[in-house]
Short mmCIF file of all heavy atoms in Angstrom, two decimals:
data_model
loop_
_atom_site.label_atom_id
_atom_site.label_comp_id
_atom_site.label_asym_id
_atom_site.label_seq_id
_atom_site.Cartn_x
_atom_site.Cartn_y
_atom_site.Cartn_z
N GLU R 22 -9.04 9.38 1.16
CA GLU R 22 -8.93 7.96 0.88
C GLU R 22 -7.63 7.63 0.12
O GLU R 22 -6.89 6.77 0.49
CB GLU R 22 -10.13 7.48 0.06
CG GLU R 22 -11.44 7.49 0.82
CD GLU R 22 -11.45 6.46 1.94
OE1 GLU R 22 -10.98 5.33 1.73
OE2 GLU R 22 -11.99 6.77 3.05
N MET R 23 -7.40 8.36 -0.97
CA MET R 23 -6.26 7.98 -1.83
C MET R 23 -4.93 8.39 -1.22
O MET R 23 -3.94 7.63 -1.25
CB MET R 23 -6.38 8.63 -3.19
CG MET R 23 -5.38 8.04 -4.21
SD MET R 23 -5.03 9.05 -5.67
CE MET R 23 -3.87 10.25 -5.02
N VAL R 24 -4.86 9.61 -0.67
CA VAL R 24 -3.58 10.08 -0.19
C VAL R 24 -3.33 9.55 1.23
O VAL R 24 -2.31 8.89 1.48
CB VAL R 24 -3.51 11.62 -0.21
CG1 VAL R 24 -2.20 12.09 0.37
CG2 VAL R 24 -3.68 12.14 -1.65
N THR R 25 -4.22 9.83 2.16
CA THR R 25 -3.96 9.46 3.57
C THR R 25 -3.71 7.95 3.72
O THR R 25 -2.74 7.49 4.24
CB THR R 25 -5.11 9.90 4.48
OG1 THR R 25 -5.26 11.32 4.33
CG2 THR R 25 -4.80 9.52 5.91
N TRP R 26 -4.68 7.17 3.20
CA TRP R 26 -4.57 5.73 3.39
C TRP R 26 -3.49 5.08 2.54
O TRP R 26 -2.85 4.12 2.93
CB TRP R 26 -5.94 5.06 3.18
CG TRP R 26 -6.84 5.35 4.33
CD1 TRP R 26 -7.76 6.37 4.42
CD2 TRP R 26 -6.87 4.71 5.58
NE1 TRP R 26 -8.37 6.32 5.65
CE2 TRP R 26 -7.86 5.29 6.39
CE3 TRP R 26 -6.19 3.59 6.12
CZ2 TRP R 26 -8.15 4.89 7.68
CZ3 TRP R 26 -6.46 3.15 7.41
CH2 TRP R 26 -7.46 3.81 8.18
N ARG R 27 -3.30 5.63 1.34
CA ARG R 27 -2.22 5.05 0.48
C ARG R 27 -0.85 5.35 1.05
O ARG R 27 0.04 4.52 1.05
CB ARG R 27 -2.39 5.61 -0.94
CG ARG R 27 -1.45 4.94 -1.98
CD ARG R 27 -1.78 5.34 -3.40
NE ARG R 27 -0.94 4.62 -4.31
CZ ARG R 27 0.29 4.97 -4.64
NH1 ARG R 27 0.80 6.09 -4.13
NH2 ARG R 27 1.02 4.28 -5.46
N GLU R 28 -0.67 6.58 1.50
CA GLU R 28 0.65 6.96 2.07
C GLU R 28 0.88 6.23 3.40
O GLU R 28 1.98 5.83 3.75
CB GLU R 28 0.71 8.48 2.26
CG GLU R 28 0.56 9.28 1.04
CD GLU R 28 1.83 9.38 0.15
OE1 GLU R 28 2.91 9.27 0.72
OE2 GLU R 28 1.70 9.56 -1.06
N LEU R 29 -0.20 5.97 4.17
CA LEU R 29 -0.06 5.19 5.39
C LEU R 29 0.34 3.79 5.04
O LEU R 29 1.19 3.20 5.77
CB LEU R 29 -1.41 5.20 6.16
CG LEU R 29 -1.44 4.42 7.46
CD1 LEU R 29 -0.52 5.05 8.49
CD2 LEU R 29 -2.86 4.37 8.00
N ALA R 30 -0.19 3.20 4.00
CA ALA R 30 0.16 1.87 3.62
C ALA R 30 1.63 1.79 3.16
O ALA R 30 2.35 0.83 3.52
CB ALA R 30 -0.77 1.37 2.48
N LEU R 31 2.07 2.76 2.39
CA LEU R 31 3.45 2.83 1.96
C LEU R 31 4.39 2.92 3.17
O LEU R 31 5.44 2.27 3.23
CB LEU R 31 3.71 4.00 0.99
CG LEU R 31 3.17 3.84 -0.42
CD1 LEU R 31 3.05 5.20 -1.12
CD2 LEU R 31 4.06 2.89 -1.18
N ASN R 32 3.98 3.74 4.11
CA ASN R 32 4.78 3.91 5.35
C ASN R 32 4.87 2.60 6.10
O ASN R 32 5.97 2.18 6.56
CB ASN R 32 4.19 5.00 6.22
CG ASN R 32 4.75 5.01 7.62
OD1 ASN R 32 4.10 4.49 8.55
ND2 ASN R 32 5.92 5.59 7.78
N CYS R 33 3.73 1.89 6.22
CA CYS R 33 3.70 0.63 6.93
C CYS R 33 4.66 -0.38 6.30
O CYS R 33 5.50 -1.02 6.98
CB CYS R 33 2.29 0.08 6.96
SG CYS R 33 2.16 -1.60 7.56
N CYS R 34 4.58 -0.56 4.99
CA CYS R 34 5.40 -1.55 4.32
C CYS R 34 6.83 -1.18 4.19
O CYS R 34 7.71 -2.02 4.11
CB CYS R 34 4.78 -1.90 2.95
SG CYS R 34 3.17 -2.69 3.05
N THR R 35 7.11 0.14 4.18
CA THR R 35 8.52 0.63 4.14
C THR R 35 9.19 0.47 5.46
O THR R 35 10.34 0.06 5.56
CB THR R 35 8.52 2.10 3.67
OG1 THR R 35 7.97 2.22 2.36
CG2 THR R 35 9.95 2.64 3.65
N ARG R 36 8.47 0.78 6.54
CA ARG R 36 9.07 0.80 7.89
C ARG R 36 8.91 -0.52 8.67
O ARG R 36 9.58 -0.68 9.69
CB ARG R 36 8.49 1.97 8.71
CG ARG R 36 8.72 3.34 8.09
CD ARG R 36 10.19 3.64 7.94
NE ARG R 36 10.39 4.93 7.27
CZ ARG R 36 11.56 5.29 6.74
NH1 ARG R 36 12.60 4.47 6.81
NH2 ARG R 36 11.67 6.45 6.13
N ASN R 37 8.04 -1.39 8.21
CA ASN R 37 7.79 -2.64 8.93
C ASN R 37 8.01 -3.81 7.98
O ASN R 37 7.14 -4.13 7.19
CB ASN R 37 6.35 -2.67 9.48
CG ASN R 37 6.16 -3.79 10.47
OD1 ASN R 37 6.81 -4.82 10.45
ND2 ASN R 37 5.24 -3.61 11.41
N PRO R 38 9.20 -4.44 8.03
CA PRO R 38 9.49 -5.53 7.08
C PRO R 38 8.60 -6.74 7.24
O PRO R 38 8.57 -7.62 6.37
CB PRO R 38 10.95 -5.82 7.34
CG PRO R 38 11.17 -5.39 8.76
CD PRO R 38 10.33 -4.19 8.92
N ARG R 39 7.81 -6.78 8.33
CA ARG R 39 6.93 -7.96 8.58
C ARG R 39 5.48 -7.65 8.17
O ARG R 39 4.53 -8.21 8.67
CB ARG R 39 6.99 -8.30 10.07
CG ARG R 39 8.41 -8.66 10.54
CD ARG R 39 8.47 -8.88 12.05
NE ARG R 39 8.21 -7.65 12.79
CZ ARG R 39 8.19 -7.58 14.13
NH1 ARG R 39 8.43 -8.64 14.84
NH2 ARG R 39 7.93 -6.40 14.70
N PHE R 40 5.36 -6.79 7.13
CA PHE R 40 4.00 -6.31 6.72
C PHE R 40 3.09 -7.42 6.23
O PHE R 40 1.86 -7.20 6.19
CB PHE R 40 4.17 -5.24 5.64
CG PHE R 40 4.87 -5.73 4.38
CD1 PHE R 40 4.18 -6.43 3.43
CD2 PHE R 40 6.20 -5.44 4.16
CE1 PHE R 40 4.81 -6.88 2.27
CE2 PHE R 40 6.88 -5.88 3.02
CZ PHE R 40 6.16 -6.58 2.06
N ALA R 41 3.61 -8.56 5.83
CA ALA R 41 2.72 -9.62 5.35
C ALA R 41 2.47 -10.70 6.36
O ALA R 41 2.07 -11.79 6.03
CB ALA R 41 3.33 -10.23 4.08
N SER R 42 2.66 -10.40 7.67
CA SER R 42 2.46 -11.40 8.70
C SER R 42 1.76 -10.81 9.90
O SER R 42 1.61 -9.58 10.03
CB SER R 42 3.85 -11.96 9.15
OG SER R 42 4.55 -10.97 9.90
N LEU R 43 1.29 -11.69 10.77
CA LEU R 43 0.65 -11.24 12.02
C LEU R 43 1.61 -10.40 12.88
O LEU R 43 1.16 -9.63 13.71
CB LEU R 43 0.18 -12.46 12.80
CG LEU R 43 -0.96 -13.30 12.19
CD1 LEU R 43 -1.29 -14.49 13.10
CD2 LEU R 43 -2.20 -12.46 11.95
N ALA R 44 2.90 -10.57 12.68
CA ALA R 44 3.85 -9.83 13.48
C ALA R 44 3.75 -8.32 13.28
O ALA R 44 4.23 -7.57 14.11
CB ALA R 44 5.29 -10.28 13.13
N ALA R 45 3.09 -7.90 12.17
CA ALA R 45 2.94 -6.47 11.92
C ALA R 45 1.84 -5.84 12.75
O ALA R 45 1.69 -4.62 12.76
CB ALA R 45 2.67 -6.23 10.44
#
């Protein structure tokens, strides 16, 4: 939970600048 999902979230927001929109 802490590592896999947290690191996945960091990856998403680092690599996808549209992380706060439907475009993501």
Side-chain angles (χ1 to χ4, degrees):
E22 290 293 319
M23 192 199 81
V24 178
T25 302
W26 286 95
R27 189 171 183 275
E28 300 281 333
L29 180 64
L31 284 164
N32 167 260
C33 170
C34 294
T35 299
R36 299 301 175 195
N37 193 332
R39 301 174 294 179
F40 60 81
S42 72
L43 294 178

